[in-house]
Amino acid sequence: MEYFINCNTSTLAPYTAPLDQTRALHLYRRLGFSASVDTVNQATGQNAGTLVDTLVDQAINMAPTAAPVWADWNNANYPADDDARRQLVNQQRSEFALGYANALLSNNLRDRLSFFWSNHFVTELDVYECNSFLYHYINCLQRNAIGNFRTFVSEIGLTSAMLYYLDGVYNNGNNPNENYARELYELFTLGEGNGYTEQDIIETARALSGYVERGEEGCTQVTFRADRHDTGTKTILGQTGAWGYDDVITILFQQRPNEIAEFICRKLYEFFVHPDSQDDANNAQTIIDGMASTFISNNFELAPVLRQLFKSEHFFDDEAIGVIIKSPFDFYLNTLKETSFAYDDTVLGSMLNYSGMLGQELFDPFDVAGWQRDRTWINTNFIIGRWLTIESILESFYQQNNEQFRSLGLSITGTTGLTSTNPDVVARLIIDFILPKGLLDEGEYAKAFAIFRSDVEDVYYEGGNQESWTLATWPQAPYQVYLLMQYLARQPEYQLK
């Protein structure tokens, strides 16, 4: 698949034109996992700034997922029998995964962001192996997803999931462990080798010492023990004192605000706008600098930065549309949202399973650096896996209720679908909704039109009699939409958002 070079020269000036369908879809595909046809139609014609403010405000005011009954269980709460314990643990994980997947589908920007941050402040469930730790980790991501980044950094580092994943619980005063200190700078705030030294890591590890598991049961929340903390003098980023955990966060944000802002804004830019932020031919650096300035002047609040970016001409530029390769979660969840096909937890569970097969397992990023996204999502095995799994999913939707496909076509095409006897006109509208930039050229459209025409005889497309074809009335029309969807799902353009 061609890798897109960033040719976007637009600025952070507000985008003022009414949103067309393409840009409304672009907004929802980037700020969430897309949207239904009805939602896109309602957004079409709106002012971008007004809609962005609504979506950001919703994210800010959204309550986190309710705590499950096992949120604070430790190992003593589970059955003593190994098989019974394992079965209950797996049942809880499965239910929580489905609940979170439904949140991704329902909560637009808030859980798009919580999912983004799970790939920034990475932990892996298969390393720390504790359901209560998972709940509190996701709760931290949701509460801070669009809040204050300094608060976020402070809170995430004290979650039991993180303290176990990066060995914070093994970091005590007489035997410091440097893992978390290193990743705090390298992956979470500054970037590799940017504004810190190896000695800073050693000294920071000493300051972060003293957080250990309490009790004998196992899977018990981590707590601070003063007798395990190194109380000596440390020099961190040029500042000397008997520093502890809170001091590290304060010093980091006081001494390296520019580095933090640039690093985080670049990561947000590459996730929401374009994976290429380094090419000198575009003005991505200018955009990132503007975002970073907003970030610092707003005391590291995330919402003002995201409002500025999402309202901008740069975000809505043609060069920003359809240039990011869908992750497996995007691939499946976008299909669910845009079709509005009926689904249950069995369907959603299959999609979670398929995503894991394609390299994106929920709660288990690849390693501490996270999924590398974009081009890493596509190789020979993964693209074949996408084709086979989406083919199976669409087939099951058709078998369940084939009229869903007619309804989808009519919701996209509106009056045209009710009245037009020209299948090519109808198919083009469907294609241009499903694919962010349509197909490559008219030759490719012609191939898709031939699929959509199916084996309906041409005489029925000519109009003028009671047996004329329309999407609304033709008995075979659901199958035609189904065939077109199956064809489009295999196209390179379907892998993009």
Side-chain angles (χ1 to χ4, degrees):
M1 179 177 294
E2 178 185 356
Y3 175 59
F4 290 94
I5 300 300
N6 190 351
C7 300
N8 189 341
T9 58
S10 294
T11 71
L12 282 171
Y15 182 83
T16 56
L19 291 175
D20 59 15
Q21 184 188 79
T22 297
R23 283 164 177 78
L25 274 163
H26 171 67
L27 183 68
Y28 281 106
R29 283 171 178 152
R30 298 290 175 86
L31 272 63
F33 288 89
S34 202
S36 67
V37 181
D38 285 347
T39 299
V40 171
N41 287 343
Q42 289 167 17
T44 302
Q46 286 196 41
N47 172 267
T50 303
L51 184 53
V52 166
D53 278 336
T54 297
L55 294 171
V56 171
D57 290 343
Q58 285 175 352
I60 291 170
N61 294 318
M62 190 171 290
T65 298
V69 295
W70 46 263
D72 294 306
W73 283 18
N74 59 40
N75 285 350
N77 296 102
Y78 289 90
D81 179 75
D82 285 346
D83 288 339
R85 178 186 179 280
R86 192 178 305 111
Q87 183 177 356
L88 182 55
V89 166
N90 289 338
Q91 179 186 337
Q92 291 172 351
R93 288 183 187 177
S94 177
E95 290 173 355
F96 191 70
L98 287 169
Y100 187 62
N102 273 303
L104 297 180
L105 282 164
S106 305
N107 294 337
N108 286 322
L109 179 59
R110 203 283 300 277
D111 281 313
R112 168 60 88 178
L113 281 168
S114 73
F115 197 54
F116 164 81
W117 291 119
S118 76
N119 199 44
H120 177 79
F121 295 114
V122 171
T123 66
E124 296 177 57
L125 177 57
D126 65 0
V127 172
Y128 61 81
E129 284 284 350
C130 179
N131 291 1
S132 66
F133 293 1
L134 170 64
Y135 163 71
H136 286 285
Y137 168 71
I138 295 297
N139 176 265
C140 185
L141 296 181
Q142 290 181 326
R143 286 186 293 102
N144 292 286
I146 193 166
N148 185 275
F149 186 69
R150 177 166 41 205
T151 302
F152 201 171
V153 172
S154 176
E155 289 192 11
I156 200 74
L158 295 180
T159 59
S160 296
M162 186 65 76
L163 284 161
Y164 262 91
Y165 180 59
L166 291 180
D167 301 326
V169 291
Y170 309 117
N171 180 17
N172 59 63
N174 59 15
N175 186 22
N177 184 296
E178 298 171 8
N179 278 10
Y180 185 73
R182 182 176 304 280
E183 306 308 356
L184 173 64
Y185 296 145
E186 181 174 318
L187 292 177
F188 298 165
T189 58
L190 298 173
E192 187 174 358
N194 185 33
Y196 64 92
T197 66
E198 285 296 312
Q199 191 61 33
D200 286 322
I201 292 171
I202 293 169
E203 300 282 271
T204 298
R206 294 175 56 214
L208 298 177
S209 62
Y211 290 88
V212 297
E213 186 176 35
R214 179 182 61 205
E216 301 295 323
E217 298 91 353
C219 198
T220 303
Q221 299 300 325
V222 177
T223 189
F224 180 74
R225 276 183 53 175
D227 63 319
R228 298 291 182 90
H229 176 65
D230 183 335
T231 58
T233 300
K234 306 102 178 168
T235 300
I236 298 171
L237 304 181
Q239 309 301 299
T240 302
W243 307 129
Y245 185 93
D246 291 341
D247 302 311
V248 169
I249 306 302
T250 298
I251 290 167
L252 172 58
F253 279 81
Q254 285 179 346
Q255 298 300 314
R256 299 291 187 268
N258 295 331
E259 291 85 349
I260 294 169
E262 208 271 349
F263 180 66
I264 296 304
C265 290
R266 183 176 300 280
K267 199 154 189 179
L268 290 168
Y269 179 92
E270 290 179 349
F271 183 79
F272 283 107
V273 181
H274 201 294
D276 174 19
S277 69
Q278 305 284 353
D279 197 301
D280 291 337
N282 63 67
N283 69 338
Q285 187 62 55
T286 302
I287 302 299
I288 292 165
D289 289 345
M291 294 167 62
S293 177
T294 300
F295 204 21
I296 293 170
S297 65
N298 283 277
N299 194 31
F300 294 98
E301 291 288 336
L302 288 159
V305 178
L306 295 175
R307 288 186 204 272
Q308 178 186 36
L309 179 64
F310 298 152
K311 293 179 182 183
S312 70
E313 291 179 351
H314 194 87
F315 179 78
F316 287 106
D317 192 280
D318 280 340
E319 298 293 340
I321 297 171
V323 294
I324 294 178
I325 296 173
K326 291 176 181 173
S327 71
F329 271 75
D330 279 302
F331 184 71
Y332 298 117
L333 299 189
N334 282 20
T335 300
L336 273 187
K337 292 286 283 187
E338 290 171 15
T339 60
S340 295
F341 290 160
Y343 68 94
D344 56 18
D345 282 348
T346 301
V347 173
L348 199 52
S350 295
M351 291 182 170
L352 294 182
N353 183 49
Y354 292 152
S355 293
M357 291 165 54
L358 296 178
Q360 191 173 34
E361 186 171 353
L362 188 61
F363 309 138
D364 274 307
F366 180 71
D367 59 20
V368 68
W371 303 300
Q372 293 307 296
R373 305 190 305 107
D374 217 55
R375 284 177 289 178
T376 63
W377 295 133
I378 299 291
N379 60 36
T380 302
N381 288 334
F382 285 172
I383 195 66
I384 293 173
R386 288 184 181 222
W387 292 344
L388 294 177
T389 55
I390 199 68
E391 181 178 291
S392 172
I393 287 167
L394 291 172
E395 182 179 10
S396 68
F397 282 135
Y398 186 79
Q399 290 174 344
Q400 176 191 2
N401 177 9
N402 62 22
E403 281 295 326
Q404 292 184 106
F405 286 81
R406 190 198 307 271
S407 297
L408 171 63
L410 289 173
S411 65
I412 292 172
T413 58
T415 303
T416 302
L418 292 172
T419 60
S420 177
T421 60
N422 187 334
D424 299 352
V425 171
V426 171
R428 186 183 294 272
L429 291 172
I430 296 172
I431 293 165
D432 289 347
F433 182 93
I434 297 295
L435 306 181
K437 283 187 170 179
L439 288 164
L440 181 64
D441 54 35
E442 286 304 312
E444 294 301 315
Y445 275 99
K447 294 177 187 176
F449 295 163
I451 296 292
F452 184 66
R453 282 175 171 263
S454 185
D455 57 0
V456 178
E457 295 179 29
D458 286 346
V459 65
Y460 296 111
Y461 293 130
E462 293 170 2
N465 63 68
Q466 290 184 332
E467 292 188 26
S468 294
W469 178 93
T470 69
L471 181 62
T473 61
W474 194 254
Q476 197 178 333
Y479 185 63
Q480 293 179 261
V481 177
Y482 166 68
L483 288 178
L484 180 61
M485 288 288 294
Q486 289 279 28
Y487 178 77
L488 294 179
R490 283 178 167 259
Q491 302 311 302
E493 292 84 355
Y494 195 82
Q495 318 309 317
L496 299 170
K497 64 169 188 174

